[in-house]
Amino acid sequence: MERFQAPIALLARLFLAYIFIIEGWGKIGEYAATGSYMEANGVSAALLPLVIVTELGGGILVAAGFATRYAAAALAGFCLLTAMLFHTDFSDSEQVINFNKNIAMTGGFLAIVAFGPGAWSIEAWRKRT
C-alpha cells in the first residue's frame, strides 16, 4: 500500500477541499443571503469575509498542498465551530447529519495536520527542487 500513499494523500486532500472551495465561492455569489443566515444563527455577518477566505483560501491551499498543515488546522477549527454554531438542533435529523459530517471532516483535516500533504504536493515539490 505504501506505493499508493502519494496518490491517496492527494485524493484525500482534494476530496476534503472540494466542498470548501465550492461553498466559499458560492458565498461570494450569495453574500447577502449568507450574511442573513449567519445573523439568524447569532453570528455576525461582519465575519463573512473571514468565512469566505477560510473556506475558499483554505480549500485551495489544502488541495494544492501548500501551507497545508496551517490551512488544514484552520479548516478543522472552522468545521468544529460550524458544527457547534449552526448544527445543534438535534431534533432535526438533517442538522444531526450536518453536525456529524462536520465532526468527521474535522478528523480528516486533523489527519492532514498530523501527517502533512504527502509527496504529491507543492510543499514536497519545493523540498525536492
Side-chain angles (χ1 to χ4, degrees), residues 8 11 17 26 32 41 45 69 93 97 113 127-128:
I8 290 171
L11 284 174
N41 285 280
R69 284 184 160 113
S93 62
I97 290 167
V113 171
K127 285 182 183 177
R128 288 190 299 269

Side-chain angles (χ1 to χ4, degrees), residues 32-79:
T34 303
S36 295
Y37 177 76
M38 290 172 66
E39 293 282 347
N41 285 280
V43 178
S44 172
L47 294 174
L48 184 51
L50 180 60
V51 168
I52 293 169
V53 167
T54 302
E55 285 188 324
L56 186 57
I60 290 169
L61 289 171
V62 166
F66 184 74
T68 316
R69 284 184 160 113
Y70 297 111
L75 286 168
F78 180 83
C79 288

Side-chain angles (χ1 to χ4, degrees), residues 43-118:
V43 178
S44 172
L47 294 174
L48 184 51
L50 180 60
V51 168
I52 293 169
V53 167
T54 302
E55 285 188 324
L56 186 57
I60 290 169
L61 289 171
V62 166
F66 184 74
T68 316
R69 284 184 160 113
Y70 297 111
L75 286 168
F78 180 83
C79 288
L80 280 178
L81 285 172
T82 300
M84 293 186 299
L85 295 173
F86 295 96
H87 303 301
T88 55
D89 180 2
F90 297 122
S91 65
D92 180 349
S93 62
E94 189 172 320
Q95 292 297 317
V96 172
I97 290 167
N98 283 319
F99 180 88
N100 290 332
K101 173 195 62 140
N102 277 276
I103 298 302
M105 289 188 300
T106 300
F109 284 119
L110 290 176
I112 291 174
V113 171
F115 299 107

